[in-house]
Short mmCIF file of all heavy atoms in Angstrom, two decimals:
data_model
loop_
_atom_site.label_atom_id
_atom_site.label_comp_id
_atom_site.label_asym_id
_atom_site.label_seq_id
_atom_site.Cartn_x
_atom_site.Cartn_y
_atom_site.Cartn_z
N LYS A 469 16.53 33.29 -3.41
CA LYS A 469 16.09 33.76 -2.09
C LYS A 469 16.92 34.96 -1.63
O LYS A 469 16.38 35.94 -1.11
CB LYS A 469 16.22 32.64 -1.05
CG LYS A 469 14.93 31.86 -0.90
CD LYS A 469 15.09 30.67 0.00
CE LYS A 469 15.12 31.04 1.46
NZ LYS A 469 15.24 29.80 2.27
N VAL A 470 18.25 34.85 -1.85
CA VAL A 470 19.14 35.94 -1.45
C VAL A 470 18.76 37.20 -2.22
O VAL A 470 18.65 38.29 -1.65
CB VAL A 470 20.62 35.55 -1.73
CG1 VAL A 470 21.53 36.78 -1.57
CG2 VAL A 470 21.04 34.44 -0.79
N GLY A 471 18.52 37.03 -3.52
CA GLY A 471 18.14 38.17 -4.35
C GLY A 471 16.87 38.83 -3.84
O GLY A 471 16.77 40.06 -3.76
N LEU A 472 15.91 38.01 -3.46
CA LEU A 472 14.61 38.53 -3.01
C LEU A 472 14.74 39.30 -1.70
O LEU A 472 14.06 40.30 -1.49
CB LEU A 472 13.64 37.35 -2.84
CG LEU A 472 12.19 37.70 -2.55
CD1 LEU A 472 11.59 38.50 -3.68
CD2 LEU A 472 11.37 36.44 -2.33
N SER A 473 15.66 38.82 -0.85
CA SER A 473 15.75 39.45 0.47
C SER A 473 16.57 40.74 0.44
O SER A 473 16.67 41.44 1.43
CB SER A 473 16.35 38.46 1.47
OG SER A 473 17.64 38.10 1.04
N SER A 474 17.17 41.07 -0.71
CA SER A 474 17.99 42.29 -0.76
C SER A 474 17.11 43.54 -0.82
O SER A 474 17.60 44.65 -0.68
CB SER A 474 18.93 42.25 -1.96
OG SER A 474 18.18 42.26 -3.15
N LYS A 475 15.83 43.36 -1.02
CA LYS A 475 14.84 44.44 -0.90
C LYS A 475 15.18 45.70 -1.69
O LYS A 475 15.75 46.66 -1.17
CB LYS A 475 14.64 44.80 0.59
CG LYS A 475 13.90 43.76 1.37
CD LYS A 475 13.19 44.42 2.52
CE LYS A 475 12.67 43.52 3.58
NZ LYS A 475 12.29 42.22 3.41
N LEU A 476 14.75 45.69 -2.91
CA LEU A 476 14.89 46.87 -3.74
C LEU A 476 13.85 47.91 -3.33
O LEU A 476 14.10 49.10 -3.35
CB LEU A 476 14.71 46.50 -5.21
CG LEU A 476 15.80 45.63 -5.82
CD1 LEU A 476 15.31 44.99 -7.10
CD2 LEU A 476 17.05 46.45 -6.08
N ALA A 477 12.69 47.41 -2.97
CA ALA A 477 11.61 48.31 -2.60
C ALA A 477 11.20 48.03 -1.16
O ALA A 477 11.29 46.91 -0.70
CB ALA A 477 10.42 48.12 -3.53
N VAL A 478 10.79 49.06 -0.48
CA VAL A 478 10.34 48.88 0.91
C VAL A 478 8.82 49.05 0.93
O VAL A 478 8.27 49.92 0.26
CB VAL A 478 11.00 49.92 1.84
CG1 VAL A 478 10.61 49.65 3.27
CG2 VAL A 478 12.51 49.87 1.67
N PHE A 479 8.17 48.16 1.69
CA PHE A 479 6.71 48.22 1.70
C PHE A 479 6.18 48.62 3.07
O PHE A 479 6.68 48.16 4.08
CB PHE A 479 6.13 46.84 1.35
CG PHE A 479 6.55 46.40 -0.01
CD1 PHE A 479 7.66 45.57 -0.18
CD2 PHE A 479 5.84 46.81 -1.12
CE1 PHE A 479 8.04 45.18 -1.43
CE2 PHE A 479 6.23 46.41 -2.38
CZ PHE A 479 7.33 45.60 -2.54
N GLU A 480 5.18 49.45 3.03
CA GLU A 480 4.54 49.80 4.30
C GLU A 480 3.41 48.82 4.60
O GLU A 480 3.14 48.48 5.72
CB GLU A 480 3.96 51.23 4.24
CG GLU A 480 5.00 52.32 4.19
CD GLU A 480 5.07 52.96 2.82
OE1 GLU A 480 4.02 53.10 2.17
OE2 GLU A 480 6.19 53.31 2.38
N THR A 481 2.76 48.38 3.53
CA THR A 481 1.62 47.49 3.71
C THR A 481 2.06 46.10 4.15
O THR A 481 3.15 45.64 3.82
CB THR A 481 0.78 47.39 2.42
OG1 THR A 481 -0.10 46.30 2.56
CG2 THR A 481 1.67 47.16 1.21
N LYS A 482 1.20 45.44 4.91
CA LYS A 482 1.56 44.11 5.39
C LYS A 482 1.06 43.02 4.43
O LYS A 482 1.34 41.84 4.60
CB LYS A 482 0.94 43.88 6.77
CG LYS A 482 1.79 44.50 7.87
CD LYS A 482 1.20 44.24 9.22
CE LYS A 482 2.06 44.94 10.30
NZ LYS A 482 1.36 45.02 11.56
N LYS A 483 0.26 43.47 3.46
CA LYS A 483 -0.33 42.50 2.53
C LYS A 483 0.73 42.07 1.51
O LYS A 483 0.64 42.40 0.33
CB LYS A 483 -1.52 43.15 1.82
CG LYS A 483 -2.60 42.16 1.45
CD LYS A 483 -3.85 42.92 1.11
CE LYS A 483 -4.42 42.48 -0.23
NZ LYS A 483 -5.45 43.40 -0.70
N MET A 484 1.74 41.40 1.99
CA MET A 484 2.81 40.96 1.11
C MET A 484 2.65 39.48 0.81
O MET A 484 2.17 38.72 1.61
CB MET A 484 4.18 41.17 1.78
CG MET A 484 4.65 42.58 1.65
SD MET A 484 6.34 42.77 1.11
CE MET A 484 7.14 41.28 1.48
N ASN A 485 3.08 39.14 -0.35
CA ASN A 485 2.92 37.75 -0.75
C ASN A 485 4.04 37.40 -1.72
O ASN A 485 4.34 38.17 -2.63
CB ASN A 485 1.55 37.59 -1.43
CG ASN A 485 1.14 36.15 -1.47
OD1 ASN A 485 1.95 35.27 -1.27
ND2 ASN A 485 -0.12 35.93 -1.75
N ASN A 486 4.67 36.30 -1.49
CA ASN A 486 5.71 35.86 -2.42
C ASN A 486 5.12 34.88 -3.43
O ASN A 486 4.16 34.18 -3.13
CB ASN A 486 6.83 35.14 -1.68
CG ASN A 486 7.66 36.12 -0.87
OD1 ASN A 486 7.51 37.34 -1.00
ND2 ASN A 486 8.53 35.58 -0.03
N PHE A 487 5.69 34.82 -4.60
CA PHE A 487 5.35 33.76 -5.54
C PHE A 487 6.56 33.49 -6.41
O PHE A 487 7.50 34.30 -6.42
CB PHE A 487 4.12 34.11 -6.38
CG PHE A 487 4.35 35.16 -7.42
CD1 PHE A 487 4.73 34.81 -8.71
CD2 PHE A 487 4.15 36.50 -7.12
CE1 PHE A 487 4.92 35.78 -9.68
CE2 PHE A 487 4.35 37.47 -8.09
CZ PHE A 487 4.74 37.13 -9.38
#
Side-chain angles (χ1 to χ4, degrees):
Chain A
K469 267 174 77 178
V470 169
L472 187 61
S473 60
S474 65
K475 289 207 194 333
L476 292 162
V478 185
F479 300 95
E480 291 108 35
T481 166
K482 278 182 182 165
K483 211 165 129 193
M484 278 228 338
N485 198 344
N486 289 351
F487 72 91

